[in-house]
Amino acid sequence: MRDFFINALERVIGVLVVLMSIGVVIAAGGAMIGGVTTVDGTVVGGGIVPGLLVLLFGSLYVILMAGFMYLGLGIYQNTRRMAEKMDRMAQKGI
């Protein structure tokens, strides 16, 4: 049962990474075409540079968060394998 939840968590993390990536692309597109209209009617903001900055920093955020989540799962998997190997070694008498 424990393996089911760990495998389900891995799938959920994969879905979250895809959704975060889609969100970054949408936010970058919004930053490129969007802007703020001031009181006197001029539009401030928007353009290529803000969109590229959102894309750059959003991508870095997604990479870092996905890396940390997968790192946690990797630590669990390595610990489980090491415990299994130590059990096999104890049974052999090594």
Side-chain angles (χ1 to χ4, degrees):
M1 189 62 139
R2 176 180 49 220
D3 290 332
F4 168 76
F5 288 113
I6 296 298
N7 291 334
L9 177 63
E10 193 168 352
R11 288 188 197 105
V12 167
I13 289 173
V15 169
L16 283 176
V17 169
V18 169
L19 289 175
M20 288 185 337
S21 299
I22 291 170
V24 166
V25 170
I26 290 172
M32 283 185 193
I33 62 174
V36 176
T37 305
T38 61
V39 177
D40 61 356
T42 59
V43 177
V44 178
I48 297 294
V49 174
L52 290 177
L53 288 174
V54 169
L55 190 63
L56 174 70
F57 289 113
S59 298
L60 286 173
Y61 177 78
V62 169
I63 290 169
L64 285 172
M65 289 299 107
F68 285 130
M69 288 187 280
Y70 280 119
L71 179 66
L73 282 176
I75 290 171
Y76 167 78
Q77 297 291 346
N78 286 340
T79 303
R80 182 183 53 82
R81 285 195 308 258
M82 184 61 142
E84 290 171 355
K85 184 171 184 158
M86 290 178 71
D87 286 342
R88 286 193 303 269
M89 288 174 59
Q91 288 173 356
K92 290 181 182 178
I94 296 176

